[in-house]
Amino acid sequence: MTRRFWVFIEQNKGQMHPVASELLGVANCLVSEIADELEKTGEEAVVEGILVGHQVEDLAQEAIQFGAERVYTVDDPAFEHYLNRPYTDALIYLIEKYKPEVFLIGATTLGRDLAGAVATSVKTGLTADCTKLEMGPFRKIEKKLLLATRPAFGGNVIATIVCKDHLPQMATVRPRVFESPPRDLKAKGKVIQEDFKVTPEMLAANLVEFITDENAGVNLEYATVIVSGGKGLGNPDGFKLIKELADELGGVVGSSRAAVDGGWIDYAHQVGQTGKHVRPKLYIAAGISGAIQHKVGMQDSDYILAINSDPKAPIFEVATLGVVGDLYEVIPEMIQQLRARKGAQV
Amino acid sequence: MIHLLVSVKQVPDTTNIRIDPETGSMIRKGVPAILNPYDAHAVASAAEWKRKLGGKITVITMGPPAAEEALQECIEMGADRGILISDRAFAGSDTLATSYVLAEAIRKIHEEDPIDMIFFGKQAIDGDTAQVGPGAAIRLGMPLITYAVDIQEINKEEGFALIERKTESGREIIKTTLPAVLTTEKSIAEIPYAALPDLIYSLKYKPENWSAEEPLMYDINQIGLNGSPTMVAKSGSPEAHEPAETISVEEEGIAGVVENTLNKMLSNISVASLWEELK
Amino acid sequence: MKTEKLEFDVIVVGAGMAGSTAAAIAAREGLKVAVIERGQKPGAKNYFGGALYTHALVDIYPDFFDRQPPLERPVTETGFWFLSNDGVVKATVQGGLVDNDPVDAFVALRSEFDLWWSEQAAAEGAFIIPKTLVTDFLFEDGRVNGVKTDRPQGDLYAPVVIICEGVNNLLTQKLGLIDHDVKINATALAVKQLISLPAKDINARLGLPDSNHGMAISVMGDVSMGLSGLGFLYTANSALSLGVGVTLDALQESGLKPYELLQRYLEHPVIAPLIKDGQMMEYGAHLIPEGGWTTMPRLYTDGVLVAGDAASMVNALHWEGTNMAITAGKQAGLAAVEAHKKGDFSAKTLSVYQDRLSELFVLKDLKQYRKMSAFLKNHPNFMDIYPTFLNDALGMFFTGFGKPKGDLYKKIFRSLTSRRPLLKAVGDLVALGRAVIGI
């Protein structure tokens, strides 16, 4: 019996979403955690990618290079652009055919649209937005189960969920929670084309038009420097200052949920549990109090600088260095000194 | 005349939650229960369309008796009929069981009085899973559009709607047959400030009560703990961090503090490598 | 949607202590009453130290205690703490006359209690409309016959309106019942924290035998940093309520921020150990009308009555406000009932409201204490010199072992006179006495 650990390879316009490679790394980790069981039973475990789209052979190779032993593809013009029903039905077909043990999907807009529909159809358990995944023992069950850990209640509680009697055990993970494994250009694996046809009734809802978003350029999740502003800015204009500092450091502008909810900046900039998870080298939080749901989104940054006038702000608990002061004084001074340092090098 | 249905949830206001440091469980006392904000905007959107096209709105919720208050708020915004689906047997339901309960209730209402569009808020702020809406759609066999930010058109005669949906890379306009299921973002509609007669009506309104057996008989194997493939293995509060080293402007003056800050920052390996590239 | 006129027998503005009481009394007599509350729920906008007084509560509901009201600890020990900058002299009383059954005062949390109090009014038949702000009045033939609210189609009609809008009495001003806005020298801003602690820790730290015993303390001295103000300490079931209130003009002149005063109070060497390891559950502030008689509006006019904080019914020195509000609310309710019986809502008919209150402690005390806030303003020594002197005097006395007592007394005497000439100190005492008696 082969134990299959599946990763959904999300793609858009011929580009693989980085979260898929991140999850391939996770899947391989999970497989290594059941090595003892495999030895005992003599079973085999494989990490397999599931790729749905049109003309996706190159992406299949990429998935193999990031750690998939095998990739199943459903390739048809009808799958060119993501639609819920055709993709859901394709996945259901594959799940019923191959009976995977674990199925990981990136918690992107697409992934969250897809995962719930698939899990419900297959009548299995799904844990969303996991921050930790491992195979571990649960009660007296022989086989290790997927232990999926996630924040709940706005990040105030950390819960570990198991799905003990249903397969596949499904989980979604937000981009950047895990690091991408290294890419092995010499990796070899099998690509299996699956025969699945779309029927007209699957197209009850279809795409009429696609409008690109100016905010689509906001690549917060993979930025190396992020400067974020929050309610402490006092008003939306404060983001101009944030942008100035971000530009000076070659970074991207981020925001707390409060500022987004207040309409000061677009949701694309929101860092946090319900926004984006980030792990930049440098994260500067200005005027952000540091509510748990924000911390959860940025606490993996290499270096965190917090600027806040309230010495008791919770953000100082997660920061590497905290400056207690008025950001409208500190940041302009910082920009000035940074420029001076740069000028001194020339 | 259209019939819109909105499924809502009453949730604790998670921005105000605290954990008891001794027991590790949530302190519920003093934490207000609110109508899930995403659901509130969904109701507001339904109310807008009811005003435009005429018709009615049914709201349903699966929850404890206190969830009546959430229904009341929906009536205040313009809903006509509120149904509380409540029973001890539902306790412990995860998202699969919840989508079963709601889908069956919607199916029954649809049979008696055909529904044109079903709204869910994008996610509930306590679970944050965003799974129940999609789950219900699949069970009902209806098209699903998540992350809806605008409804451009609802055409009952020709049986279609145009929905604008938001993704990371841009916006999609989806044309869907009716009935369809939407999960909505807050931007889909503003919460209206109800007229006084509507508020008074909602204060006097008594929602209908459905149980696990009446008016429809649920399969006990699909509700509550029995119907939930997932369960919580353990839970606790997040780990506490070491507090940061702090320097204060009051003590060192602006220039001094910033210089100190930059020195410390740039002596960190990661930041130093960044700085190398920037210079 | 619905287009019929919204008509009631009585409209009450505000579902606080005065409003819910007026509504309950009027509804009990069979009148159709609407209470319009701007908060999400009754209690959302109310905040105090503080303690409620049993006499007023049972006056409205004789079976009050049988109804399981949400109260915190009974006040079994009460009095004054005089804070110097590093010490305290405590003068409290317990047992004896304070030991009644039921106790005369209970600590309470307003967001819970006010909600419950309004539910009792609803049980009498009053209709509570929350989340709605009354913005103006409706008139017919120059007389008030209803109110406008901030909601669309938001007019409500009634021949009598009882204003219980609280300290920020904008509607009272709008009607011209008072010719000025809240005065900064007659209004205090009180800030407090509710700090949760296990009940047994509270008992141990404050010397209470068990959780059925509680304290209500007025704190004077260092807590207000020389400004005219008072601090307080109340024991909830498993939390301590600590706060400080200072007049707005004092805050303005000193440039101090309210939270700075509170922070200092909580860090005081005598206070800090009481709240050690406690978790802050609530943090809030509220204005308190302290002008009393001097800032009282006209209490009635055609079709209108004013009760509670809106009518400046607070005796700050005795911490009496909620019971005045309840008592006045009751009288307003009764006056409205009588007006309906007569079919006459003129000022003349409604004047019985003021007449009755004049016979009760409400107006009697406000009149008697009318000089008090001016007194405290003009005699700031009571806020700093005397509490510090008290600490020094008693401190010296109790550390005078082995010292010649004659010298000791001279020293104590000098520690007073170096701060305040003896004649002036005597004069202060006399002035205090006069302010209290009301002459």
Side-chain angles (χ1 to χ4, degrees), chain B:
Chain B
M1 299 287 280
I2 50 168
H3 181 196
L4 304 171
L5 183 138
V6 189
S7 178
V8 305
K9 184 181 182 188
Q10 191 186 52
V11 296
D13 188 353
T14 55
T15 53
N16 279 320
I17 282 193
R18 263 162 308 109
I19 305 293
D20 184 327
E22 277 170 41
T23 64
S25 56
M26 254 181 11
I27 301 175
R28 293 248 185 201
K29 183 175 164 129
V31 177
I34 57 173
L35 172 61
N36 182 42
Y38 292 100
D39 300 348
H41 287 267
V43 175
S45 175
E48 264 180 29
W49 283 94
K50 172 182 149 179
R51 270 194 296 277
K52 277 190 214 175
L53 303 177
K56 60 179 184 284
I57 301 172
T58 304
V59 284
I60 65 172
T61 189
M62 181 181 111
E68 262 191 29
E69 260 184 46
L71 290 178
Q72 198 179 69
E73 252 186 83
C74 300
I75 303 284
E76 186 188 323
M77 282 194 268
D80 301 280
R81 180 185 180 199
I83 302 172
L84 172 64
I85 308 168
S86 183
D87 200 301
R88 278 192 208 284
F90 296 136
S93 296
D94 72 355
T95 53
L96 188 73
T98 304
S99 66
Y100 166 66
V101 173
L102 294 172
E104 293 311 304
I106 296 172
R107 207 188 303 276
K108 174 155 176 70
I109 297 166
H110 187 55
E111 269 163 35
E112 293 168 357
D113 192 356
I115 304 168
D116 298 296
M117 197 122 92
I118 298 165
F119 297 67
F120 283 80
K122 158 174 106 167
Q123 65 200 53
I125 62 174
D126 55 356
D128 279 325
T129 61
Q131 283 164 199
V132 170
I138 276 290
R139 289 176 187 275
L140 293 165
M142 296 180 187
L144 167 71
I145 297 107
T146 57
Y147 297 95
V149 291
D150 188 35
I151 301 173
Q152 294 187 349
E153 189 182 340
I154 302 180
N155 191 322
K156 184 172 167 130
E157 294 73 51
E158 294 176 41
F160 75 88
L162 284 176
I163 316 285
E164 185 179 325
R165 169 175 193 262
K166 189 171 164 131
T167 69
E168 288 99 342
S169 47
R171 293 189 318 265
E172 304 175 338
I173 312 292
I174 306 275
K175 182 174 183 185
T176 177
T177 58
L178 298 177
V181 175
L182 305 188
T183 77
T184 64
E185 290 274 14
K186 286 184 190 175
S187 51
I188 196 163
E190 299 232 345
I191 311 283
Y193 195 47
L196 190 56
D198 293 345
L199 172 61
I200 291 179
Y201 177 73
S202 79
L203 291 169
K204 296 184 175 160
Y205 181 83
K206 283 264 154 275
E208 295 166 44
N209 276 289
W210 288 16
S211 70
E213 292 172 4
E214 285 289 332
L216 61 98
M217 181 73 116
Y218 282 97
D219 174 5
I220 47 160
N221 293 314
Q222 295 199 62
I223 61 177
L225 289 170
N226 288 340
S228 303
T230 61
M231 55 184 285
V232 179
K234 69 171 192 269
S235 74
S237 17
E239 279 163 25
H241 290 264
E242 275 295 314
E245 175 196 353
T246 55
I247 45 186
S248 106
V249 169
E250 217 184 298
E251 286 162 27
E252 300 183 28
I254 285 288
V257 157
V258 172
E259 198 182 322
N260 203 346
T261 303
L262 291 179
N263 285 338
K264 286 190 206 282
M265 245 169 63
L266 294 171
S267 63
N268 172 278
I269 305 179
S270 283
V271 182
S273 69
L274 259 178
W275 185 242
E276 279 308 307
E277 289 169 35
L278 262 181
K279 283 190 303 183

Side-chain angles (χ1 to χ4, degrees), chain A residues 49-80:
Chain A
I50 308 300
L51 181 54
V52 180
H54 183 47
Q55 295 176 329
V56 289
E57 314 84 38
D58 292 340
L59 294 180
Q61 283 310 317
E62 203 180 321
I64 289 168
Q65 287 165 1
F66 276 111
E69 234 182 88
R70 225 170 285 159
V71 177
Y72 301 96
T73 63
V74 175
D75 199 322
D76 191 285
F79 295 107
E80 167 107 43

Side-chain angles (χ1 to χ4, degrees), chain B residues 18-19 21-22 29 69 73 76 193-201 203-204, chain C residues 1-2 6 41 112 127-132 150-154 156 279 281:
Chain B
R18 263 162 308 109
I19 305 293
E22 277 170 41
K29 183 175 164 129
E69 260 184 46
E73 252 186 83
E76 186 188 323
Y193 195 47
L196 190 56
D198 293 345
L199 172 61
I200 291 179
Y201 177 73
L203 291 169
K204 296 184 175 160
Chain C
M1 205 171 141
K2 332 274 177 216
L6 294 164
K41 293 184 181 193
E112 281 176 28
F127 184 52
I128 318 274
I129 306 172
K131 308 191 286 190
T132 306
D150 63 346
R151 289 190 178 267
Q153 297 163 60
L156 298 105
Q279 282 245 29
M281 275 174 60

Side-chain angles (χ1 to χ4, degrees), chain A residues 4-327:
Chain A
R4 302 180 197 275
F5 287 71
W6 279 12
V7 173
F8 179 72
I9 310 297
E10 178 176 335
Q11 58 80 22
N12 184 27
K13 296 194 175 51
Q15 296 266 46
M16 188 170 100
H17 195 294
V19 72
S21 61
E22 291 159 17
L23 291 182
L24 285 168
V26 176
N28 274 296
C29 239
L30 295 175
V31 166
S32 69
E33 284 166 8
I34 56 166
D36 52 342
E37 286 177 6
L38 299 172
E39 241 201 78
K40 250 192 2 192
T41 61
E43 283 174 319
E44 204 203 11
V46 283
V47 171
E48 302 178 317
I50 308 300
L51 181 54
V52 180
H54 183 47
Q55 295 176 329
V56 289
E57 314 84 38
D58 292 340
L59 294 180
Q61 283 310 317
E62 203 180 321
I64 289 168
Q65 287 165 1
F66 276 111
E69 234 182 88
R70 225 170 285 159
V71 177
Y72 301 96
T73 63
V74 175
D75 199 322
D76 191 285
F79 295 107
E80 167 107 43
H81 198 98
Y82 172 78
L83 283 171
N84 178 270
R85 199 52 201 278
Y87 272 62
T88 301
D89 286 356
L91 290 189
I92 294 171
Y93 166 77
L94 290 174
I95 290 172
E96 283 172 359
K97 185 171 175 188
Y98 292 102
K99 304 202 186 329
E101 182 169 332
V102 166
F103 195 173
L104 306 179
I105 303 181
T108 57
T109 309
L110 187 157
R112 296 175 110 225
D113 184 283
L114 182 59
V118 171
T120 307
S121 304
V122 167
K123 301 278 188 301
T124 186
L126 167 65
T127 307
D129 297 348
C130 301
T131 50
K132 186 167 161 204
L133 288 168
E134 58 189 339
M135 297 302 287
F138 181 67
R139 297 204 183 146
K140 299 214 172 64
I141 298 175
E142 259 201 77
K143 263 194 181 156
K144 286 190 188 149
L145 291 179
L146 180 68
L147 300 177
T149 302
R150 69 177 304 263
F153 292 101
N156 284 289
V157 171
I158 304 289
T160 303
I161 316 288
V162 292
C163 172
K164 64 183 174 68
D165 294 318
H166 297 78
L167 293 178
Q169 302 166 76
M170 292 184 63
T172 64
V173 181
R174 284 193 184 250
R176 293 302 271 156
V177 172
F178 295 99
E179 287 252 38
S180 212
R183 185 172 178 174
D184 181 4
L185 294 165
K186 298 209 214 78
K188 294 231 188 304
K190 261 177 98 173
V191 179
I192 300 164
Q193 285 240 32
E194 289 290 328
D195 194 17
F196 178 79
K197 287 283 171 274
V198 170
T199 59
E201 65 214 10
M202 291 180 196
L203 298 171
N206 60 63
L207 181 66
V208 167
E209 198 189 333
F210 182 78
I211 307 158
T212 335
D213 201 353
E214 46 317 328
N215 283 306
V218 180
N219 194 355
L220 219 44
E221 282 141 327
Y222 297 91
T224 49
V225 178
I226 298 175
V227 182
S228 285
K231 258 287 147 91
L233 289 174
N235 65 70
D237 289 332
F239 276 104
K240 294 197 187 108
L241 187 60
I242 299 286
K243 176 129 188 9
E244 237 190 283
L245 180 58
D247 287 343
E248 206 57 46
L249 292 166
V252 178
V253 171
S255 167
S256 70
R257 179 166 167 167
V260 171
D261 281 350
W264 294 0
I265 192 168
D266 188 80
Y267 173 70
H269 297 267
Q270 183 174 321
V271 172
Q273 193 208 338
T274 50
K276 302 211 167 100
H277 273 253
V278 298
R279 32 171 50 202
K281 292 192 172 178
L282 174 60
Y283 187 88
I284 301 180
I288 294 181
S289 66
I292 287 202
Q293 66 87 26
H294 184 81
K295 281 199 266 191
V296 159
M298 42 66 80
Q299 61 195 358
D300 293 323
S301 311
D302 287 348
Y303 194 96
I304 301 170
L305 172 68
I307 307 168
N308 199 303
S309 54
D310 176 8
K312 297 210 160 72
I315 192 85
F316 290 126
E317 286 162 30
V318 73
T320 319
L321 176 64
V323 172
V324 180
D326 180 353
L327 62 95

Side-chain angles (χ1 to χ4, degrees), chain C residues 166-242:
Chain C
V167 56
N168 230 338
N169 55 1
L170 300 169
L171 293 170
T172 310
Q173 294 168 37
K174 225 173 196 172
L175 275 180
L177 295 174
I178 191 159
D179 61 4
H180 58 77
D181 198 352
V182 293
K183 287 209 146 105
I184 59 171
N185 65 349
T187 312
L189 176 62
V191 196
K192 86 166 209 195
Q193 279 193 20
L194 187 65
I195 298 169
S196 92
L197 282 160
K200 56 174 177 50
D201 286 354
I202 295 177
N203 299 341
R205 295 175 187 182
L206 291 173
L208 298 166
D210 58 40
S211 305
N212 252 330
H213 287 74
M215 290 170 84
I217 306 292
S218 292
V219 181
M220 295 177 73
D222 185 71
V223 66
S224 57
M225 290 176 76
L227 304 177
S228 174
L230 287 175
F232 56 80
L233 182 152
Y234 291 90
T235 53
N237 291 334
S238 40
L240 284 181
S241 169
L242 289 109

